[in-house]
Amino acid sequence: MLYNIQIHTFDANQYKSTKIIKKQIVSEGYKETKNFKIGFEVPAALTIDNDRIYLAGDQTLRIIDTAGKLLNEINLAEKPHSLEVSGDKIYVAFEK
């Protein structure tokens, strides 16, 4: 299956400054330490960078801290396909 993907960028500098969730390793692997209700009907993407959790779904990008507090919400023109943060940029891809 081929996809035509559009890439849009946002400045991520304004969304930085909390602590990342520390994974607790137990004998069977990782233990769930937090559980957040993200409020998307159709979640599409998740990434973690610089102590923030970036979530995309429906037509929204949400940025939360490691306690689950909403830091920012950005309305998107279309439904997101994937998400990545690199340096001071947030990359959102949309399926066409």
Side-chain angles (χ1 to χ4, degrees):
M1 181 178 270
L2 296 175
Y3 294 100
N4 179 10
I5 299 192
Q6 268 186 321
I7 305 294
H8 297 271
T9 62
F10 301 92
D11 185 350
N13 277 335
Q14 59 188 320
Y15 310 120
K16 293 182 180 173
S17 107
T18 54
K19 302 274 185 243
I20 262 190
I21 298 171
K22 291 184 176 145
K23 295 178 180 164
Q24 297 178 352
I25 300 175
V26 293
S27 60
E28 292 103 24
Y30 292 102
K31 178 181 177 184
E32 181 178 297
T33 59
K34 300 279 182 183
N35 189 322
F36 305 116
K37 293 185 188 283
I38 58 173
F40 291 133
E41 284 187 39
V42 182
L46 173 140
T47 192
I48 300 172
D49 186 68
N50 288 325
D51 303 332
R52 276 180 210 62
I53 302 168
Y54 298 80
L55 308 154
D58 303 331
Q59 285 185 256
T60 306
L61 168 65
R62 291 191 181 126
I63 302 156
I64 63 173
D65 67 14
T66 56
K69 178 183 173 195
L70 181 65
L71 300 175
N72 204 331
E73 184 170 276
I74 300 168
N75 292 322
L76 303 172
E78 301 174 42
K79 292 180 182 179
H81 178 268
S82 58
L83 169 68
E84 185 59 54
V85 176
S86 178
D88 63 348
K89 303 282 185 214
I90 301 171
Y91 297 92
V92 181
F94 301 96
E95 195 172 319
K96 286 284 188 173

